[in-house]
Amino acid sequence: MNNINGKLPENDPLTNPKQRKLIDQIIADNKKIAGSTMIVLNELQSQIGYVSEPMQVYVAQMLQIPVSAVHGVVSFYSFFTTTPRGEHTVKFCMGTACYVGGTPQLIDKTKQVLGIEPGETTPDGKVTFELCRCVGVCSQAPVIVVDEEIFGQVTPNKLPKILSAITEK
Ligand code: FES
């Protein structure tokens, strides 16, 4: 029961004895309580930093629930990531006001400047590029969130300056 089927990628947390111990501990501590799936995944995201695909399969096996149930939670909440996040995160609001106000153009510009797609991290591990739901400041659309800081009325021209401030941090 402690083995997941198939080969694990070399750098997966499940192959690292220290991280594996932590994962097993988190599952053991929470498997009997109500809402264990969400609690276990939350703890894994906080303590390991992400929930890889093999970790999702492992959690499903250990909690005796379908893998699709775990995938469903991980893909629904933007808090979860399946790869490690970079030092900084830049999120683009996909709520209606922001989307209509220019988020797609900002996303295109960011792809050019950072050379990565949404959901990816720059190769130097500095910046993770993400999309998010409405962050509640629609009057300032389009909005981006850099770490915890909100930038409103962002234009493609202003964006390179904001992004270079992050990469130089
Ligand atoms: S739609 Fe972007 S903040 Fe609400």
Side-chain angles (χ1 to χ4, degrees):
M1 199 60 194
N2 275 0
N3 292 321
I4 66 164
N5 301 323
K7 270 199 176 165
L8 287 172
E10 248 175 55
N11 54 359
D12 191 89
L14 285 168
T15 65
N16 174 315
K18 222 169 136 190
Q19 288 185 314
R20 173 66 170 259
K21 202 171 160 204
L22 181 58
I23 293 167
D24 283 336
Q25 190 63 53
I26 289 170
I27 294 171
D29 287 349
N30 298 291
K31 71 188 291 187
K32 296 222 165 70
I33 52 182
S36 56
T37 310
M38 190 57 158
I39 294 165
V40 165
L41 293 172
N42 253 312
E43 285 299 314
L44 292 175
Q45 178 70 44
S46 307
Q47 297 195 44
I48 303 285
Y50 63 110
V51 190
S52 67
E53 294 285 338
M55 284 165 68
Q56 293 177 44
V57 174
Y58 188 64
V59 167
Q61 285 184 355
M62 298 306 279
L63 296 183
Q64 300 182 314
I65 56 172
V67 177
S68 59
V70 176
H71 279 316
V73 174
V74 171
S75 53
F76 185 77
Y77 295 99
S78 59
F79 168 71
F80 295 114
T81 53
T82 55
T83 53
R85 277 200 167 95
E87 269 174 61
H88 303 284
T89 304
V90 55
K91 293 182 195 160
F92 291 75
C93 178
M94 295 294 281
T96 308
C98 289
Y99 191 85
V100 172
T103 297
Q105 289 80 356
L106 298 179
I107 290 174
D108 284 344
K109 188 75 184 178
T110 306
K111 286 184 191 173
Q112 279 174 24
V113 174
L114 296 180
I116 54 173
E117 296 288 320
E120 294 181 348
T121 298
T122 51
D124 61 3
K126 276 265 180 189
V127 186
T128 297
F129 174 13
E130 290 184 346
L131 308 180
C132 64
R133 296 185 173 83
C134 174
V135 291
V137 285
C138 314
S139 62
Q140 295 181 45
V143 167
I144 69 170
V145 185
V146 178
D147 297 326
E148 300 300 316
E149 191 178 352
I150 289 180
F151 291 79
Q153 291 163 350
V154 180
T155 62
N157 287 342
K158 289 185 196 165
L159 199 54
K161 205 171 157 198
I162 299 172
L163 295 175
S164 64
I166 310 171
T167 50
E168 282 157 18
K169 264 186 196 171

